Amino acid sequence: MYAIVNIAGKQFKVTQDQFVYAPKLDLETGASIDFDQVLLAEADGTVSVGAPLLAGAKVSGKVLDHVKGDKVIVFKKKRRKGYKKKNGHRQDFTKVLIESITI
């Protein structure tokens, strides 16, 4: 069984007992969360597609931790001008454990 769910504006394909690194959510560590924007669900070979959402479908999870992603280097250069600029960025993520999927 799997589902495609919208979490903070991004779509994730989730299964039960899976870890998902979603964009940062304003929740405490250990908090329970329900995602009701389920776009598609599959159970026992039967695929249910929403138009645009599945009515009554819900994915519940638990916030495990708030982490940072890998560092991305942003390097800008203009040749023959002596212009170089180097910046780094680390994106904030929330680690979520998917506990159950109900259709």
Side-chain angles (χ1 to χ4, degrees):
M1 171 184 263
Y2 70 89
I4 296 178
V5 62
N6 185 3
I7 301 174
K10 296 193 179 217
Q11 295 176 6
F12 294 92
K13 179 181 177 183
V14 296
T15 58
Q16 191 170 352
D17 299 328
Q18 176 187 2
F19 297 109
V20 175
Y21 291 95
K24 186 173 182 183
L25 303 171
D26 293 331
L27 295 170
E28 299 286 330
T29 302
S32 199
I33 185 168
D34 291 332
F35 304 108
D36 57 349
Q37 293 186 349
V38 179
L39 305 169
L40 182 140
E42 184 272 335
D44 303 325
T46 306
V47 177
S48 302
V49 180
L53 301 174
L54 284 174
K58 182 174 73 168
V59 175
S60 61
K62 182 178 180 181
V63 175
L64 297 179
D65 198 9
H66 297 288
V67 296
K68 285 190 160 201
D70 295 335
K71 188 166 212 172
V72 177
I73 303 297
V74 180
F75 185 72
K76 298 178 182 180
K77 181 178 193 266
K78 296 191 180 195
R79 64 184 195 157
R80 297 188 300 268
K81 304 297 182 203
Y83 172 78
K84 289 190 280 186
K85 188 154 191 91
K86 182 179 178 183
N87 284 325
H89 176 75
R90 291 184 71 186
Q91 187 70 34
D92 292 324
F93 292 105
T94 300
K95 186 176 181 181
V96 178
L97 172 66
I98 303 299
E99 293 177 332
S100 67
I101 299 172
T102 58
I103 299 174

